[in-house]
Amino acid sequence: MKYIVANWKSNKTTEESLDWLNNIKIKLSQINPKNISNLEIIVAPPVVFLPLMKKIIEENSLPIKLASQDVSPYGFGPYTGAVASFMLEGLADYAIIGHSERRKLFLEDDQILEKKVKLAVEAKLRPIYCVQDAQTYIPQKVDIVAYEPIYAIGTGQPDSPENANKVAGQVKQKKDIHILYGGSVTEANIGNYLCCSYIDGALIGGASLDADNFWEIIINASTN
Ligand code: PGA
């Protein structure tokens, strides 16, 4: 099983997100579902789009799982602006936690991220925990890690498959978990990562925003 995760970050209007999903829905209807049964396709839209997307996915039985891009380090209570994990229970299956943009722009450290992981797991969200190198601390309850070197994110300068595989191997030596690679993954290079022995999937930002591009990523990933 390979994990293909689309991280839209803070992009798209409601209309654009519905267009994207509709486009993917049409493409899914044109293939044999068995062709992509080796993939876990996960989409992480901005949190406000989750309910509507969940409804469409369920109504059409689409083979797509949803993820939140983040969760609050707190539960219910006086935390203005925060979305608690418990609010996402039943709405998303996964939660991206510790993305380097959260660490850098929102000053999230290991302690905060550990709290987020704990609450996400309590709310039955499976964390996809982002690390920047093999040394980054990984909380105990995490079983999917995305290796995303900062220089490769949104730059068009991905890490080499050889190095990404080496880092994935180093992380796996410490902990038996699934490792995704993220950072300038495209439809053109995804195959180079998925054929690496230690890499179990990809986290895709920019190239996931366009449904046609993302579909090509899915098709290329399904043959690996
Ligand atoms: P990118 O982003 O694919 O645009 O490089 C990846 C990520 O930040 O998750």
Side-chain angles (χ1 to χ4, degrees):
M1 175 72 76
K2 299 281 186 193
Y3 297 83
I4 303 298
V5 188
N7 175 13
W8 289 359
K9 308 189 180 184
S10 194
N11 289 296
K12 293 196 188 296
T13 61
T14 305
E15 205 183 356
E16 286 166 347
S17 65
L18 291 179
D19 281 351
W20 187 99
L21 191 55
N22 197 38
N23 194 337
I24 296 289
K25 184 180 107 180
I26 293 167
K27 290 175 181 349
L28 282 167
S29 71
Q30 292 164 346
I31 61 155
N32 182 340
K34 278 194 190 142
N35 296 354
I36 55 163
S37 59
N38 60 330
L39 303 180
E40 174 88 331
I41 301 169
I42 303 166
V43 182
V47 71
V48 288
F49 303 143
L50 282 172
L52 200 51
M53 290 183 68
K54 166 90 176 166
K55 191 165 175 276
I56 295 170
I57 288 168
E58 272 186 356
E59 279 173 3
N60 295 279
S61 306
L62 304 179
I64 295 175
K65 299 280 172 60
L66 289 170
S68 67
Q69 295 176 13
D70 184 38
V71 292
S72 169
Y74 304 106
F76 293 117
Y79 310 107
T80 302
V83 177
S85 283
F86 303 112
M87 299 169 190
L88 297 164
E89 193 170 343
L91 205 51
D93 294 293
Y94 294 85
I96 298 173
I97 295 177
H99 192 281
S100 61
E101 287 152 14
R102 301 288 322 171
R103 293 177 191 259
K104 182 166 173 240
L105 303 171
F106 299 89
L107 310 179
E108 295 181 358
D109 59 17
D110 290 348
Q111 253 183 332
I112 288 176
L113 297 175
E114 180 114 47
K115 286 186 194 166
K116 292 186 175 206
V117 166
K118 182 173 173 288
L119 290 168
V121 171
E122 277 177 29
K124 302 188 181 61
L125 301 170
R126 194 170 168 196
I128 298 171
Y129 196 80
C130 301
V131 305
Q132 288 65 58
D133 51 45
Q135 282 72 48
T136 310
Y137 172 72
I138 301 171
Q140 236 216 323
K141 294 205 161 97
V142 167
D143 79 333
I144 307 180
V145 157
Y147 160 57
E148 298 206 313
I150 289 170
Y151 66 83
I153 296 178
T155 58
Q157 309 281 323
D159 195 356
S160 66
E162 295 73 28
N163 194 58
N165 194 42
K166 191 172 134 202
V167 174
Q170 287 167 346
V171 176
K172 278 193 179 179
Q173 260 186 352
K174 292 194 281 185
K175 216 169 175 314
D176 183 23
I177 45 182
H178 304 284
I179 311 274
L180 320 185
Y181 168 71
S184 298
V185 173
T186 65
E187 63 281 12
N189 65 20
I190 184 140
N192 302 338
Y193 295 96
L194 295 190
C195 65
C196 292
S197 52
Y198 297 120
I199 296 179
D200 305 300
L203 180 49
I204 304 128
S208 74
L209 289 173
D210 180 272
D212 292 340
N213 269 356
F214 188 61
W215 183 253
E216 278 193 52
I217 288 174
I218 290 173
I219 294 304
N220 292 345
S222 69
T223 54
N224 267 275

